Amino acid sequence: MGSTGTVLRELRGAQKSAKGVSLYSRYVNRPAGRVLAAGAYRAGLTPNQVTLISALFTYSALAAVALVEPSWTLALAVYAALALGFAFDSADGQLARLTGRGGPDGEWLDHVVDCGKLLLVHTAVLISFHRFGELPSDGWLLLPLGFQFAAVVTFCAGLLREHLGKAAAAAGQPTGAPAAPVSRVRAIALLPADYGVFCLVFLLLGAPGAFRAGYAVLAVVHALFLAAFLTKWFRELRALRPG
């Protein structure tokens, strides 16, 4: 693999399945990550180094949310850093599949960074609300905590569903119904739960009232998705019981 074009063609063949992925991740984040992965490959970076670059952009943006008074300049800077961090989060896995240099350590590091991101993003919003927000009531301070609960439980439960399903398959147990084909309707329906779409709300940081409203709407949507996902995953795992 010599030229960047050749690397990009190889990366197109090293993509995860589009099943269960929103349109944003499929058509925006993964292609952006592909370009970053090609650049990382040309620069000789490892997948773990790309993961740490993702963390640097993401965590720096979240620190700014917590420590800097909201403004339109901050909004643009935070969104750009979060979006870039998310693209690098896609690039590390693509680079690992391209080079064959992935492993349990890389998967672990990626999940640790992702879990930290989900905890910190809502913590940063909570701190910003407390420090800079002229809130209608103190009850608004509970909103980031509820959103954090929904996001972290969804993330952890999804990981457990995936790993328990793999364990059942490795043990030779039936894994349930055949996988459904990729659905564009589902990909559209998943847009509100996509982290990349969530990042867009930070473009409203310059208008605190609009940001609170957008953040609250997404919190409700994520709570509804949490209930739906937990019900679905529980039924799928119950179907894996032997006998």
Side-chain angles (χ1 to χ4, degrees):
M1 285 180 287
S3 68
T4 300
T6 301
V7 175
L8 285 171
R9 284 193 295 273
E10 292 290 333
L11 283 166
R12 289 191 187 97
Q15 298 296 303
K16 287 183 177 179
S17 167
K19 182 178 182 295
V21 176
S22 83
L23 288 183
Y24 179 91
S25 286
R26 191 187 307 178
Y27 293 115
V28 178
N29 201 58
R30 284 186 177 179
R34 189 182 309 145
V35 173
L36 294 175
Y41 176 83
R42 299 281 291 173
L45 298 179
T46 67
N48 286 352
Q49 288 171 332
V50 174
T51 300
L52 293 176
I53 292 172
S54 169
L56 178 63
F57 277 105
T58 299
Y59 290 5
S60 297
L62 299 180
V65 171
L67 301 176
V68 180
E69 186 171 0
S71 67
W72 290 114
T73 300
L74 179 67
L76 291 172
V78 165
Y79 172 72
L82 289 177
L84 195 53
F86 190 36
F88 271 110
D89 186 32
S90 174
D92 58 4
Q94 296 188 53
L95 181 62
R97 289 187 291 276
L98 175 69
T99 61
R101 297 174 69 181
D105 59 314
E107 185 176 3
W108 175 85
L109 180 63
D110 184 56
H111 290 331
V112 168
V113 170
D114 284 344
C115 188
K117 171 179 69 181
L118 292 177
L119 287 168
L120 288 177
V121 66
H122 301 293
T123 301
V125 172
L126 174 61
I127 294 172
S128 180
F129 278 0
H130 176 69
R131 295 188 66 199
F132 308 114
E134 296 180 1
L135 303 176
S137 73
D138 288 343
W140 279 93
L141 296 175
L142 297 175
L143 180 62
L145 297 177
F147 203 156
Q148 184 182 72
F149 173 84
V152 172
V153 172
T154 299
F155 176 74
C156 293
L159 283 181
L160 281 171
R161 166 63 185 96
E162 179 182 354
H163 285 288
L164 289 171
K166 289 179 179 178
Q173 298 175 14
T175 56
V182 175
S183 166
R184 182 171 292 271
V185 173
R186 177 178 171 82
I188 294 172
L190 287 172
L191 277 171
D194 191 289
Y195 177 78
V197 174
F198 165 71
C199 290
L200 289 169
V201 78
F202 287 93
L203 287 171
L204 299 174
L205 275 174
F211 174 78
R212 285 197 306 272
Y215 184 82
V217 168
L218 287 174
V220 171
V221 170
H222 276 69
L224 294 174
F225 270 103
L226 171 62
F229 284 144
L230 290 182
T231 301
K232 175 178 181 291
W233 293 332
F234 181 80
R235 289 174 176 171
E236 290 173 348
L237 289 171
R238 186 167 58 182
L240 299 181
R241 287 184 179 182

